[in-house]
Amino acid sequence: QQQVKQSPQSLIVQKGGISIINCAYENTAFDYFPWYQQFPGKGPALLIAIRPDVSEKKEGRFTISFNKSAKQFSLHIMDSQPGDSATYFCAATKATGNQFYFGTGTSLTVIP
Amino acid sequence: DAGVTQSPTHLIKTRGQQVTLRCSPISGHKSVSWYQQVLGQGPQFIFQYYEKEERGRGNFPDRFSARQFPNYSSELNVNALLLGDSALYLCASSFGLPNTEAFFGQGTRLTVV
């Protein structure tokens, strides 16, 4: 059973546009939600993370929006650049737990 | 400052063989987790070790085993390899528990033929 559902599977955005990736979860015990960026042949790199006590977190061009009541969170990439082309994974975990539950990934392509 | 290092980077094995993958966590990190990433999918949790003790195990068969050494490095062993074990095996390290702010290595690409 997929604990974290991610959409879309793939996304094509023009340079300078906004990329939006969505995730949904079921387990209300989850209390830490990171996003990872993965380039081909590399391991996932921690991009930004949020805890459910805030509704939004921004770091540079990357913003997480969090809706606790809907059990959804999303990644917004502002002013998307070709260098942002990668696969993005959302994840969730319980702080007292021992594993991350990952979404299925979104392949982002930013067209120059 | 070195990140998480994994070795080897690539490996080709034959069905039925055994394989050992190695991971060195970030200096000062005491927790190591292993994940399997099949092509086109998100990573799936295999094991977590903290202070040399197993703290969690995912839904993987007993052919998979791991251990953590006094210097916090770790090994993942897989016996009786199957074609379906072909995947990218990722090691993640974190300072301790709770298991947040996990940093991944570049992985070991295992191909079983």
Side-chain angles (χ1 to χ4, degrees):
Chain A
Q1 183 183 353
Q2 193 72 27
Q3 296 266 0
V4 179
K5 296 181 180 179
Q6 183 173 348
S7 63
Q9 184 176 357
S10 62
L11 184 61
I12 300 174
V13 173
Q14 293 277 355
K15 177 182 175 182
I18 303 173
S19 304
I20 302 174
I21 305 170
N22 302 299
C23 284
Y25 64 97
E26 287 298 323
N27 190 339
T28 55
F30 289 152
D31 55 9
Y32 180 75
F33 303 89
W35 284 90
Y36 284 86
Q37 178 189 59
Q38 187 174 29
F39 292 103
K42 302 293 185 182
L46 179 62
L47 197 59
I48 186 173
I50 197 168
R51 298 184 187 277
D53 53 344
V54 297
S55 60
E56 185 174 282
K57 183 174 181 180
K58 184 176 181 179
E59 289 184 2
R61 297 185 293 111
F62 301 92
T63 300
I64 300 179
S65 296
F66 188 84
N67 186 329
K68 189 174 182 178
S69 60
K71 294 186 287 186
Q72 295 175 348
F73 58 110
S74 60
L75 176 69
H76 296 235
I77 306 174
M78 312 301 287
D79 187 26
S80 298
Q81 299 296 312
D84 297 330
S85 298
T87 300
Y88 292 81
F89 292 94
C90 61
T93 189
K94 296 178 286 185
T96 55
N98 53 26
Q99 64 174 288
F100 287 96
Y101 298 89
F102 284 85
T104 51
T106 296
S107 176
L108 171 65
T109 302
V110 181
I111 300 173
Chain B
D1 198 13
V4 180
T5 57
Q6 293 186 241
S7 63
T9 55
H10 295 84
L11 203 53
I12 299 175
K13 289 285 189 179
T14 304
R15 276 181 300 175
Q17 285 189 316
Q18 176 264 342
V19 68
T20 299
L21 312 180
R22 295 176 177 82
C23 171
S24 292
I26 293 170
S27 178
H29 284 194
K30 300 179 180 180
S31 174
V32 169
S33 299
W34 288 95
Y35 287 79
Q36 180 196 66
Q37 186 177 22
V38 174
L39 198 62
Q41 297 294 317
Q44 296 290 317
F45 173 72
I46 309 176
F47 286 109
Q48 185 197 37
Y49 277 79
Y50 175 69
E51 289 283 16
K52 302 178 286 297
E53 292 187 1
E54 182 182 306
R55 292 302 186 104
R57 183 187 183 115
N59 189 24
F60 281 81
D62 291 343
R63 299 185 295 107
F64 288 76
S65 63
R67 55 180 175 169
Q68 186 177 33
F69 299 98
N71 66 354
Y72 303 109
S73 67
S74 178
E75 286 183 351
L76 175 70
N77 295 283
V78 186
N79 294 322
L81 285 167
L82 304 174
L83 295 179
D85 294 331
S86 296
L88 181 67
Y89 288 85
L90 295 163
C91 172
S93 85
S94 56
F95 177 74
L97 300 178
N99 185 32
T100 57
E101 288 234 314
F103 299 91
F104 284 83
Q106 69 175 28
T108 294
R109 172 70 63 187
L110 172 65
T111 302
V112 182
V113 296

